[in-house]
Amino acid sequence: MIRMKKNKKILLIFIIISIVILGIVAVIYFKSVKNEIEEPIKVLDVIDDFHYKLKENDSELKKDLFYELKDVLKEDEVNYQKYAEVLAKIFVVDVFSLDTKLNKYDIGGIDYILESEKEKYQNILSDTLYDIVENNYDGKRNQELPLVKNIEVTESTEGKFGFDNKEILSYDIVLTWTYEKDLGYDTTALVKVGKVDEFMYIVSYSPNK
């Protein structure tokens, strides 16, 4: 009887110690994930009123396109077709330049997505295209990832897109692009850009085969 009580006491102590260890491990894990997501990235420039950001880890090509877009949006009368074309190029460059991303949660192209679609967009990309991206906050990542080298518009046509129970102005932009090294990622696509109020948003992306 005494032996049984002693065994139960030892088992209880073991269970308590296990729970404490699991709790410590869980805290450490969730803190690391939180830091991985929330680690600040320096913003170099912002296009006022449009909330488009240029970050320090963006590629040189994206930086060039950002300032091209900034010039387009400075005009007294914005050329929305030109706005759509440059936005589509920046979107593709940002999405497929995985080499510039700090981790799988540093999702490219999210600035150009409708607010109501951003969470869904981020979840899909972090679980698919970006799932392979390793953490690079220490700058020591040794992983081969795509980096878009150049991009051009090959076709641009005006159309309509169904949004919020109405038709909005849209542009179908066909793009082709190359990488610093071909790793098998998309190289051509149809990007549809829609106009909501005075802003243009990426509303669909369809790779061309």
Side-chain angles (χ1 to χ4, degrees):
M1 189 72 174
I2 295 174
R3 184 185 299 275
M4 286 180 67
K5 286 184 178 180
K6 186 175 180 181
N7 288 342
K8 286 182 179 179
K9 187 176 181 181
I10 293 171
L11 179 61
L12 181 62
I13 292 171
F14 176 77
I15 291 172
I16 292 171
I17 292 172
S18 298
I19 291 171
V20 171
I21 291 172
L22 285 172
I24 293 170
V25 170
V27 169
I28 292 171
Y29 172 76
F30 285 113
K31 280 187 70 175
S32 69
V33 170
K34 187 172 184 289
N35 289 338
E36 188 174 85
I37 298 172
E38 297 183 355
E39 187 77 21
I41 301 169
K42 185 177 179 182
V43 175
L44 301 178
D45 200 355
V46 177
I47 300 179
D48 294 333
D49 300 324
F50 292 86
H51 309 295
Y52 301 141
K53 298 185 292 292
L54 182 67
K55 300 181 294 185
E56 63 179 342
N57 59 319
D58 286 328
S59 69
E60 291 303 315
L61 178 56
K62 187 189 169 183
K63 289 174 184 175
D64 291 342
L65 291 170
F66 177 89
Y67 288 113
E68 183 181 348
L69 179 60
K70 195 171 186 178
D71 288 340
V72 169
L73 297 176
K74 279 194 309 187
E75 297 294 327
D76 293 333
E77 188 171 334
V78 174
N79 182 329
Y80 280 95
Q81 185 159 7
K82 183 65 175 175
Y83 177 4
E85 290 172 359
V86 180
L87 195 75
K89 289 197 289 185
I90 292 181
F91 173 76
V92 167
V93 168
D94 200 21
V95 169
F96 287 99
S97 291
L98 273 66
D99 192 52
T100 67
K101 306 309 176 187
L102 298 183
N103 58 36
K104 64 179 288 185
Y105 303 104
D106 184 12
I107 304 296
I110 199 163
D111 284 351
Y112 322 115
I113 302 296
L114 285 160
E115 193 65 37
S116 60
E117 299 296 316
K118 283 186 176 181
E119 184 176 355
K120 177 182 176 183
Y121 172 83
Q122 176 145 359
N123 288 339
I124 290 173
L125 262 68
S126 64
D127 289 338
T128 55
L129 181 65
Y130 279 67
D131 189 50
I132 64 165
V133 180
E134 298 172 1
N135 193 319
N136 194 37
Y137 278 118
D138 59 3
K140 297 178 180 179
R141 180 173 65 203
N142 184 23
Q143 183 183 19
E144 194 169 49
L145 293 168
L147 180 66
V148 179
K149 183 178 181 180
N150 56 56
I151 188 168
E152 63 178 22
V153 174
T154 58
E155 189 178 337
S156 176
T157 55
E158 183 178 319
K160 295 290 183 181
F161 181 78
F163 170 74
D164 200 19
N165 297 319
K166 61 183 178 182
E167 284 194 332
I168 61 172
L169 173 68
S170 67
Y171 294 95
D172 289 347
I173 315 296
V174 178
L175 300 159
T176 59
W177 61 94
T178 61
Y179 298 90
E180 293 291 344
K181 183 177 181 180
D182 186 0
L183 298 174
Y185 290 83
D186 293 351
T187 57
T188 179
L190 168 64
V191 178
K192 189 178 287 288
V193 186
K195 182 176 181 288
V196 180
D197 299 323
E198 71 271 36
F199 303 103
M200 302 298 292
Y201 295 94
I202 306 299
V203 293
S204 73
Y205 170 92
S206 304
N208 295 327
K209 301 300 181 183

